[in-house]
Amino acid sequence: MKAVASEPALARALHRSYILRVSSDTDSFEFQVSEHLRLSGVYWGACALHLLGELQSLDAAQVVSFVRSCQRGCGGFGGNLGHDAHMLYTLSAVQVLALFGALHTVDAGRVMRYVASLQRPDGSFAGDEWGEVDTRFSYCALCCASLLGKLGDIDVAAAVRYVRACENFDGGYGCEPGGESHAGQVFTCVGALAIGGELGSVRSEELAWWLCERQTPGGGLNGRPQKARPDADVCYSWWVLSAMCLLRRDGWIDGEALRRFILSCQDEEEGGIADKPGDLPDVFHTFFGERGESIHGTDGVPPIDAAHAMPASVMEQLRAEQALEPSRTLRGASPPRPRRGRPSSVPHRRLQRARAAPRRRQSS
Amino acid sequence: MHNVKKKHLSAEQAAAKRLENVQRAASYSALSRAAFARRAAGLWDAASLEAAARVLEVNPDMAPIWNFRRECLQSLHGASVPPDAAAEPAGAVRAACEAELALTQACLGANPKSYPVWYHRTWVLTWGGCGWAYARELKLTTKLLSLDERNFHCWTHRRFVVQLSKVTAEAELRFTTQKVEANFSNYSAWHYRSKLLPAMHAAADPAATAAASGALRAALLAELELLRNAFFTAPEDQSAWFYHRWVLSRLRPTGGGLLRGEAEVLRELRDVEPDAKWPLAALAHALALLGEAGAATEAEAAEREAALTSLCGIDPARRRYYEASLAGGASAEPEEAA
């Protein structure tokens, strides 16, 4: 099923069957050895299918039931059945439930008690009870709270203060104060600040310049200045572009060249997108490749909310439900959702821009 | 998955590969189930440490099994270890810590970028009060950074050990000097300098603020000298250019003297390679700073515009960034109506 036209296009049908195939190949080494991050795998696969308009290919009841079975007594979620709760998988669980419109099936207050229990006096978040601290976990906490409509359950001001303390000379952010900037961390920190309503504190011009310099001559993006050559990788399409979108400077790279790079990483025989041309594909990069396409509104991939890393349509639905029926996710004990600044107003604005943008080359 | 080439196999080769893959999966799965079973049975003992190690050797990212290991260590030796127990060279705690350091080192050999492995190492050093291991640990990071000078996990671990063992900022600055002189594109080392220099010259008491800022200024001027070496050695390497922009902004030049001197160096570079992007971009930036300081002549303002216009042609992928700079401040793109 190669594209007939000479113009490269996103191999939608192949990617759909690739995701479904690898998700059910439970006997493979790759499946077994990724057992610790199964919930994140479900998020990548389900979100990728959603962006292809194929979420119905999954058995929603089965997925939701699996996600719920990963919840632990503490309220957090493990990466798999019987695995310890962790911030990373708690966010994945909430994202998957939101994708399937099933957030009401969990007690949001209980999830948030777990998230809040991991916040430390300096505003940072630990990943779990063992105490590893990283701005990735700040993002997880803020994103989780925002999706559940419960930002008031954590100390947002302190969380934002900690993220800002991780800012570097280049305007980017590291894992902890003193840590070097890299594109993945820039996404988590800018995303955290966007959700926390503090995007104004970012040194936007410098950071967006650093981000647009991630584009390599081949069109693909790398994660840090000249780590090695050639070092462009499909997953940075998302990390870099989503941060640039939030800073409203995504036009500072050559979007068409990036699109061609992503498409050159497709496996046109068996589906899936790899990190680099000619490599083996995986679900993670298939998702990140689609997300890169989504941000530029190319290949018919619908817009995505850059801060929450969720399809825009899902976020709109979620916000509408939360506005109409706050008790549904707040479950009884329902203090009104505090509005600190304008949380998530920027991502929302971005969505509207994404929709207004012309769709280039809709696989003609 | 990163950097795994797709190979085209015959049907026979593919079947053989699949069989091997499925066997590996089954053998890993058995190890994992065995470790979880011991944990479920509440067995926090030496045999469980063994069972956990077998899983982690195959899958170092398996965080719940590192948790199980820590539970075992705490069960065998205590939730936190008394300092005298840790200091005992022949003691059980020291032996336990050595075993953890050896296991994590082996795991890092297989995957030097595994978050859970690095965190376990950090945890052990703290839990075991491993003062005896700090010097060795610092040497290990030096060695690993000679193998991969950009491994940010390793740099993070180094900063952690430096803090524990009270290595001075001066010593670390010397380390980064060696690193950048060996390879000017070591962005990680430039980054570290941006943290070390202000920390070294921070005023300990408020009365000394002026002296401290004078010392920092002198240090930053010395950085400009170092950067010149970098520019003339590798003008197309972006690492030093990012650092250059920071050094200039930290110097907060007010008069025109410093910036004009810098612009002169950049012109010299540009004249050697007229189509090189970075000298031109840095020149445009220096001239912009001159403008911000209210010290730019009309000729300098025009030179800046000409540089940015050239850049649009030399570096078309980032054309809109240069255009935004030309339009006065590279601000956000105007919002479109929804």
Side-chain angles (χ1 to χ4, degrees):
Chain A
M1 285 248 299
K2 280 192 181 182
V4 187
S6 59
E7 270 302 308
L10 190 68
R12 304 170 64 98
L14 278 175
H15 295 330
R16 171 186 175 273
S17 52
Y18 170 79
I19 293 163
L20 294 174
R21 189 170 72 245
V22 296
S23 306
S24 57
D25 187 11
T26 57
D27 291 338
S28 73
F29 181 70
E30 290 72 22
F31 188 93
Q32 287 298 332
V33 88
S34 59
E35 60 169 320
H36 58 286
L37 50 74
R38 185 72 61 238
L39 256 188
S40 293
V42 170
Y43 160 68
W44 301 326
C47 213
L49 286 170
H50 193 287
L51 293 177
L52 294 171
E54 296 282 357
L55 190 65
Q56 73 282 359
S57 304
L58 295 175
D59 180 337
Q62 199 186 353
V63 174
V64 168
S65 145
F66 171 71
V67 171
R68 294 186 58 199
S69 69
C70 294
Q71 191 173 23
R72 305 302 303 252
C74 59
F77 291 75
N80 207 329
L81 264 182
H83 288 206
D84 306 352
H86 196 284
M87 195 71 101
L88 290 170
Y89 309 113
T90 302
L91 174 60
S92 292
V94 168
Q95 285 171 317
V96 174
L97 292 174
L99 266 181
F100 284 97
L103 273 181
H104 61 281
T105 64
V106 292
D107 179 345
R110 202 172 137 231
V111 177
M112 284 310 299
R113 275 193 292 282
Y114 172 72
V115 171
S117 76
L118 294 174
Q119 189 166 26
R120 307 188 323 156
D122 64 358
S124 67
F125 283 85
D128 64 12
E129 60 180 312
W130 292 99
E132 181 184 8
V133 170
D134 190 305
T135 44
R136 285 180 301 151
F137 309 142
S138 302
Y139 171 74
C140 291
L142 282 156
C143 192
C144 231
S146 174
L147 289 170
L148 291 168
K150 285 189 161 288
L151 276 171
D153 287 14
I154 53 175
D155 186 342
V156 174
V160 161
R161 218 166 27 244
Y162 181 77
V163 171
R164 292 187 60 187
C166 298
E167 191 185 65
N168 289 322
F169 79 101
D170 46 26
Y173 299 84
C175 300
E176 51 166 23
E180 180 184 345
S181 303
H182 68 88
Q185 217 72 33
V186 167
F187 161 71
T188 59
C189 291
V190 172
L193 293 172
I195 292 170
E198 291 285 347
L199 213 44
S201 69
V202 180
R203 278 149 52 203
S204 298
E205 187 201 326
E206 274 170 276
L207 180 53
W209 172 55
W210 186 88
L211 288 166
C212 76
E213 285 294 344
R214 297 308 100 239
Q215 188 159 38
T216 64
L221 307 178
N222 64 17
R224 292 189 283 166
Q226 286 177 357
K227 206 176 67 182
R229 267 164 288 198
D231 60 350
D233 181 318
V234 161
C235 61
Y236 294 120
S237 311
W238 167 259
W239 307 125
V240 173
L241 261 183
S242 57
M244 292 183 86
C245 273
L246 291 169
L247 302 175
R248 294 191 291 120
R249 287 168 175 85
D250 48 304
W252 287 9
I253 61 158
D254 181 343
E256 182 56 26
L258 173 63
R259 172 176 173 268
R260 283 174 186 278
F261 173 78
I262 295 174
L263 294 178
S264 75
C265 296
Q266 292 188 117
D267 183 332
E268 295 199 345
E269 290 154 1
E270 296 172 273
I273 300 175
D275 59 338
K276 298 178 173 70
D279 280 4
L280 274 175
D282 58 60
V283 173
F284 177 80
H285 286 93
T286 304
F287 175 40
F288 283 93
E290 283 182 22
R291 281 158 79 160
E293 297 278 287
S294 154
I295 278 184
H296 271 135
T298 45
D299 288 291
V301 180
I304 195 158
D305 179 310
H308 297 85
M310 293 285 284
S313 59
V314 172
M315 289 306 296
E316 276 168 19
Q317 176 82 16
L318 188 64
R319 293 302 182 223
E321 282 170 17
Q322 285 170 348
L324 280 176
E325 206 183 340
S327 61
R328 184 169 161 192
T329 47
L330 294 174
R331 277 265 173 136
S334 49
R337 186 156 71 97
R339 292 200 163 270
R340 292 192 36 78
R342 289 159 61 211
S344 75
S345 58
V346 172
H348 186 67
R349 197 164 51 203
R350 166 62 208 157
L351 304 182
Q352 295 174 331
R353 289 186 70 231
R355 216 167 299 113
R359 292 283 164 83
R360 272 160 291 178
R361 291 182 213 284
Q362 261 186 338
S363 46
S364 49
Chain B
M1 247 186 300
H2 285 107
N3 303 316
V4 184
K5 284 278 162 233
K6 179 173 173 164
K7 292 185 192 114
H8 284 273
L9 305 171
S10 67
E12 206 173 292
Q13 288 169 320
K17 192 176 166 222
R18 172 72 186 178
L19 183 65
E20 192 238 310
N21 180 288
V22 169
Q23 283 169 347
R24 270 173 77 210
S27 107
Y28 166 76
S29 176
L31 293 172
S32 172
R33 279 198 308 274
F36 272 114
R38 295 192 68 84
R39 193 185 192 194
L43 297 168
W44 292 291
D45 55 14
S48 289
L49 284 172
E50 267 306 300
R54 297 289 83 77
V55 179
L56 295 166
E57 282 158 6
V58 186
N59 189 7
D61 283 339
M62 185 64 182
I65 299 298
W66 287 113
N67 295 347
F68 181 33
R69 262 194 106 72
R70 290 191 280 270
E71 288 164 5
C72 291
L73 291 168
Q74 290 186 326
S75 171
L76 290 166
H77 306 286
S80 62
V81 181
D84 49 338
E88 181 57 56
V93 172
R94 172 116 175 213
C97 291
E98 289 279 18
E100 297 310 300
L101 295 177
L103 176 67
T104 46
Q105 196 170 338
C107 289
L108 290 175
N111 179 5
K113 296 179 179 174
S114 172
Y115 285 97
V117 177
W118 282 108
Y119 182 67
H120 187 68
R121 213 171 164 93
T122 303
W123 184 87
V124 167
L125 289 173
T126 314
W127 169 77
C130 301
W132 47 270
Y134 293 164
R136 204 174 69 185
E137 201 66 8
L138 197 67
K139 264 191 197 159
L140 178 74
T141 63
T142 303
K143 184 184 155 202
L144 292 178
L145 289 174
S146 69
L147 298 173
D148 177 1
E149 61 187 19
R150 301 297 304 283
N151 183 337
F152 70 82
H153 301 273
C154 192
W155 281 104
T156 298
H157 192 68
R158 184 178 178 95
R159 286 196 312 275
F160 171 72
V161 178
V162 160
Q163 206 177 11
L164 282 179
S165 54
K166 314 248 179 326
V167 174
T168 62
E170 286 76 7
E172 283 300 273
L173 190 73
R174 281 196 296 277
F175 177 68
T176 63
T177 306
Q178 287 167 13
K179 284 295 182 197
V180 294
E181 285 181 346
N183 180 3
F184 285 124
S185 72
N186 191 334
Y187 191 77
S188 305
W190 290 116
H191 159 80
Y192 198 9
R193 294 175 82 80
S194 80
K195 297 290 177 191
L196 290 166
L197 287 171
M200 280 166 63
H201 300 294
D205 80 276
T209 309
S213 67
L216 178 58
R217 190 174 169 81
L220 291 171
L221 290 170
E223 292 301 274
L224 285 181
E225 283 300 317
L226 182 60
L227 280 165
R228 264 165 225 183
N229 290 338
F231 297 155
F232 281 95
T233 311
E236 282 306 295
D237 190 288
Q238 53 178 254
S239 301
W241 293 108
F242 281 112
Y243 188 64
H244 181 248
R245 195 172 280 205
W246 175 77
V247 171
L248 276 190
S249 71
R250 277 304 293 243
L251 279 167
R252 278 191 212 95
T254 43
L258 174 72
L259 288 167
R260 288 217 167 80
E262 207 51 27
E264 207 37 54
V265 173
L266 296 166
R267 283 190 199 101
E268 201 182 312
L269 257 174
R270 179 206 54 195
D271 294 344
V272 177
E273 291 185 66
D275 291 334
K277 155 186 165 177
W278 289 97
L280 207 52
L283 176 60
H285 185 66
L287 294 172
L289 288 179
L290 209 51
E292 281 168 28
T297 62
E298 263 181 45
E300 282 162 340
E303 187 183 14
R304 170 177 175 265
E305 286 189 12
L308 287 169
T309 308
S310 305
L311 284 163
C312 290
I314 293 172
D315 186 21
R318 281 160 281 270
R319 182 177 50 82
R320 287 176 66 183
Y321 162 64
Y322 301 119
E323 286 172 354
S325 303
L326 268 175
S331 57
E333 290 167 23
E335 277 186 50
E336 292 162 27

